[in-house]
Amino acid sequence: MALKASTLKVGDSKTLVVVDDLTRTQIVMYAGAGGDYNPLHTDDKFTKEIAGYPGVFAHGMLTMGMTGRVITDWVGDGRITVYEVQFRVQVWPGDTLTATATVTNVYNEGGQDYADFDIVTLNQKDETVLIGKATAKIDA
Amino acid sequence: MAADRFPVEASHIMMFARSIGDPNPIYSDEEYAKKSETGGIIAPPTFPQASAQFDPDYVLRPKIGEPWFGSGKNATGVTAAPGGGGGGGGLHASQKFEFKRPIRAGDVLTVKAKPGNTWEKEGKKGGKLLFSEHIQEFFDQKGELVVTVTMVGVQTSKVVTEG
């Protein structure tokens, strides 16, 4: 059920492990569903020998997609109005990612209640892989 | 470069939700979704990205009968990998989705590309970073705006790994 402006406070937060030991297979699933078949994400031979990376790495949009759950599980379905991120470091197979969303503002605009959130996703080394913001419609 | 017609199908939403590891039944269970607040299956917020499947010119999808820059017999199927230093078309710097409403199974969307800015920055570890912004607006079958997507890509003059 949707959040209520009357009970939500600035500083409230939720944390969710959005992937534990990311597999190459999940990266392939994302390529297949999303349609970004860049070999950097699925083709180790190309990635090492041509592109010069240590190996395949996740699509930024896979990390953004996985992270989105920390907001959508909290605010309810179909309530996001803005979701934006910046990608900081790459996500590699074997990574475990933990996303945290924190309320930064609760307000009413044109008769509709909204909440703003800061988002940060860390890997198992506590490196920030993504930072972002979201806004969602909430109930009064 | 954009999809002229992006038909949003429930099975595509289900596969996309699986790929991002999201078990929420609102993305796959029609009966559950009908009884919920949304009244039907909706797509996860980052689903507009999957419109790439319907973009006839999308460069990161192999085309039947054309050479592909990924590996087969050789490490790459073309003589020079596209995209320069970073390999494969550069890296993704940031992404923004602004929704008027959620995307629903059954929507038939039209995607219109709008011009964005480009700018340059010195990288922290040396090398030039060239940023370019790409904006896409997704309209529904009634011609109403559903979501605006702003993507910023970065071309690096050297390979970027950690940090």
Side-chain angles (χ1 to χ4, degrees), chain B residues 43-122:
Chain B
T46 60
F47 185 75
Q49 212 61 15
S51 69
Q53 298 281 17
F54 297 90
D55 177 352
D57 302 320
Y58 190 61
V59 296
L60 297 175
R61 179 181 67 246
K63 309 291 187 305
I64 295 166
E66 292 178 23
W68 174 241
F69 67 104
S71 69
K73 284 193 200 85
N74 302 310
T76 179
V78 296
T79 45
L91 296 171
H92 200 161
S94 70
Q95 181 86 12
K96 182 176 193 177
F97 298 93
E98 295 164 277
F99 290 93
K100 298 287 182 193
R101 65 162 175 88
I103 291 177
R104 298 172 171 283
D107 276 337
V108 179
L109 304 175
T110 303
V111 190
K112 293 204 173 88
K114 282 174 66 176
N117 295 322
T118 59
W119 64 96
E120 242 180 56
K121 237 170 95 173
E122 283 300 320

Side-chain angles (χ1 to χ4, degrees), chain A residues 1-2 18 26 29-40 43 45-47 49-54 57 60-62 64-66 68-69 72-73 76-90 92 123 125 127 137 139, chain B residues 12 15-16 18-24 26-27 32 37-38 42 45-46 49-50 52-53 58 60-62 68-76 81 85-100 102 159-163:
Chain A
M1 276 297 100
V18 294
Q26 186 171 351
M29 286 170 77
Y30 184 77
D36 176 348
Y37 300 98
N38 192 332
L40 283 177
D43 182 339
K45 188 173 174 69
F46 168 88
T47 307
E49 295 178 28
I50 303 295
Y53 288 95
F57 53 91
M61 289 307 302
L62 172 54
M64 184 178 191
M66 293 188 297
R69 253 183 88 197
T72 53
D73 278 3
D77 299 321
R79 295 201 161 238
I80 299 273
T81 59
V82 180
Y83 179 32
E84 61 179 308
V85 305
Q86 292 175 17
F87 301 103
R88 287 299 175 84
V89 300
Q90 281 145 307
W92 305 92
N123 65 19
K125 293 184 268 184
E127 293 168 323
K137 288 180 183 175
D139 290 344
Chain B
H12 193 189
M15 288 188 283
F16 188 89
R18 280 181 184 164
S19 80
I20 60 170
D22 194 329
N24 189 337
I26 200 71
Y27 304 135
Y32 169 90
E37 190 182 356
T38 63
I42 61 166
T46 60
Q49 212 61 15
Q53 298 281 17
Y58 190 61
L60 297 175
R61 179 181 67 246
W68 174 241
F69 67 104
S71 69
K73 284 193 200 85
N74 302 310
T76 179
L91 296 171
H92 200 161
S94 70
Q95 181 86 12
K96 182 176 193 177
F97 298 93
E98 295 164 277
F99 290 93
K100 298 287 182 193
V159 165
V160 180
T161 52
E162 302 282 342

Side-chain angles (χ1 to χ4, degrees), chain A residues 61-118:
Chain A
M61 289 307 302
L62 172 54
T63 304
M64 184 178 191
M66 293 188 297
T67 294
R69 253 183 88 197
V70 76
I71 290 289
T72 53
D73 278 3
W74 193 9
V75 302
D77 299 321
R79 295 201 161 238
I80 299 273
T81 59
V82 180
Y83 179 32
E84 61 179 308
V85 305
Q86 292 175 17
F87 301 103
R88 287 299 175 84
V89 300
Q90 281 145 307
V91 170
W92 305 92
D95 279 359
T96 292
L97 303 181
T98 304
T100 299
T102 306
V103 177
T104 57
N105 197 9
V106 180
Y107 55 99
N108 185 289
E109 203 172 273
Q112 172 68 52
D113 289 289
Y114 292 91
D116 291 341
F117 301 84
D118 271 350

